[in-house]
Amino acid sequence: MKKILVTGGAGFIGSHLCARLIKEGNEVICLDNLFTGSMENIACLMDNPRFSFVNHDITIPYDCEGLDEIYNLACPASPIHYQYDAIKTIKTSVQGAINMLDLAVKTGAKILQASTSEVYGDPVVHPQHESYWGNVNPIGIRSCYDEGKRCAETLFMDFHRQEKVKIKIIRIFNTYGPNMHPNDGRVVSNFVVQALQGKPITIYGTGNQTRSFQYIDDLIEGILRFMQADDNFIGPVNLGNPKEFTILELAREVVELTGSESPIIFKPLPHDDPKQRKPEISLAKQELGWEPRIQLKEGLGYIIEYFKEYLKSHTV
């Protein structure tokens, strides 16, 4: 049994990771300030004696003894949330990474940084390989998140080189599934909730911009395989689904699967919104034997059922 700390553990991805780690027999400490996380996401774990929740902001140092692993997932991940308090967002990425890396130095824990495809910005190389340095606007409205994550990667590499910390860096591409916040502004949850409520489905721009969507279970499997891989394989490694869809294709698929009569409407594209996003996953295939198994139609079916139940008991 390992003693594992998960920051952002009450969030969308973090709650699924905590559940999987508990299922595998580990002791899990879930650290979250509940800015975007929710106690509802981890309610099913609260009675487990190997699970504990700590309300804590990782911009403030945290002390814990005897840790084996740290998964650093804490940071708002949707534009609505990370732009709400841009200074707080970049502090979470940068100061939070420093605090967790200091903790890894103290405890000797292996530590994983949940980075993002946003480090590639609005890419001019397609698909995006880990060797690509990206095309990021350092002074744009998205840069608090993009540059914060890029800086966190730098910190992880410097702590690895200078302090010999055992690190892993993943770059997560668009992910969806249960426990997503219905109002987080991300495209899958937006479209599904709008369709189920019979509201117009809102596309920003022409809808010809592309994204690659992976289901949460595939991501969690990739994260765990990476953490269990040889310590010399530190990444960064892309985890995402290389099947590319336009936003308009996604909207039409959601309408069909929900049987909705929602019209599709178009609004202006936000500033710095990437035109293309597609992971090159050869490294994950080669080193981890990993690739996504749940394709878009199947995964959308799962999240549609989740939001159907969610909307019965919540006001959105």
Side-chain angles (χ1 to χ4, degrees):
M1 181 174 72
K2 294 176 183 174
K3 186 176 181 180
I4 300 173
L5 178 68
V6 180
T7 75
F12 161 46
I13 294 173
S15 60
H16 285 272
L17 178 61
C18 286
R20 177 74 181 268
L21 291 170
I22 286 290
K23 184 180 179 181
E24 295 189 352
N26 299 293
E27 178 187 347
V28 175
I29 302 167
C30 169
L31 208 67
D32 205 298
N33 68 352
L34 300 178
F35 172 58
T36 58
S38 165
M39 293 302 294
E40 194 173 357
N41 288 345
I42 54 172
C44 61
L45 302 175
M46 293 299 288
D47 291 335
N48 192 301
R50 289 183 283 103
F51 180 82
S52 57
F53 170 75
V54 180
N55 191 328
H56 185 87
D57 188 321
I58 67 163
T59 61
I60 301 165
Y62 177 74
D63 196 20
C64 185
E65 301 292 335
L67 288 175
D68 297 297
E69 295 177 351
I70 301 169
Y71 292 79
N72 187 36
L73 275 61
C75 190
S78 72
I80 286 176
H81 289 144
Y82 66 64
Q83 291 169 18
Y84 173 78
D85 188 342
I87 294 171
K88 179 73 171 176
T89 295
I90 201 163
K91 279 184 175 179
T92 300
S93 285
V94 178
Q95 190 59 54
I98 292 170
N99 289 336
M100 289 303 110
L101 286 161
D102 282 340
L103 184 58
V105 171
K106 178 186 173 184
T107 60
K110 185 188 302 187
I111 182 168
L112 177 139
Q113 168 64 11
S115 190
T116 171
S117 61
E118 297 294 336
V119 300
Y120 300 121
D122 188 4
V124 295
V125 171
H126 195 73
Q128 291 79 58
H129 192 279
E130 291 89 350
S131 61
Y132 177 50
W133 290 355
N135 177 39
V136 175
N137 176 2
I139 57 172
I141 60 170
R142 300 171 68 102
S143 57
C144 60
Y145 184 69
D146 303 0
E147 294 288 31
K149 290 289 191 177
R150 285 161 69 95
C151 185
E153 288 194 16
T154 300
L155 285 162
F156 267 66
M157 291 303 301
D158 287 339
F159 268 76
H160 173 66
R161 286 184 284 247
Q162 194 168 323
E163 300 289 344
K164 310 306 178 190
V165 175
K166 292 178 285 186
I167 67 165
K168 302 280 184 177
I169 300 172
I170 54 168
R171 291 175 178 165
I172 300 172
F173 281 69
N174 288 63
T175 305
Y176 67 97
N179 296 358
M180 292 187 84
H181 195 289
N183 292 324
D184 71 0
R186 284 187 270 197
V187 66
V188 173
S189 50
N190 265 12
F191 286 0
V192 171
V193 171
Q194 287 170 344
L196 290 174
Q197 294 182 326
K199 295 178 179 178
I201 291 179
T202 308
I203 289 179
Y204 294 93
T206 63
N208 291 322
Q209 66 269 39
T210 67
R211 295 291 185 274
S212 305
F213 304 100
Q214 75 178 331
Y215 191 69
I216 183 65
D217 291 0
D218 284 328
L219 173 63
I220 298 302
E221 179 65 25
I223 290 174
L224 293 182
R225 288 192 190 192
F226 186 28
M227 198 59 144
Q228 292 157 8
D230 191 290
D231 288 350
N232 291 321
F233 178 50
I234 63 173
V237 60
N238 291 335
L239 292 180
N241 194 323
K243 292 197 174 178
E244 189 177 9
F245 296 87
T246 68
I247 299 302
L248 185 56
E249 284 174 329
L250 174 68
R252 287 171 174 161
E253 189 75 61
V254 168
V255 168
E256 180 180 338
L257 290 173
T258 56
S260 176
E261 295 183 1
S262 295
I264 295 173
I265 62 173
F266 297 85
K267 292 188 176 181
L269 191 68
H271 192 57
D272 288 339
D273 193 66
K275 298 174 192 69
Q276 284 185 304
R277 191 59 64 70
K278 176 182 177 179
E280 214 296 328
I281 63 166
S282 296
L283 190 60
K285 284 182 178 180
Q286 176 185 320
E287 297 292 336
L288 308 177
W290 176 90
E291 61 183 312
R293 298 185 180 280
I294 299 172
Q295 298 308 322
L296 186 63
K297 191 166 188 174
E298 180 184 356
L300 285 177
Y302 297 144
I303 195 170
I304 287 167
E305 289 307 309
Y306 168 77
F307 275 124
K308 277 181 182 177
E309 291 303 310
Y310 184 95
L311 292 171
K312 288 178 183 177
S313 55
H314 296 75
T315 301
V316 177

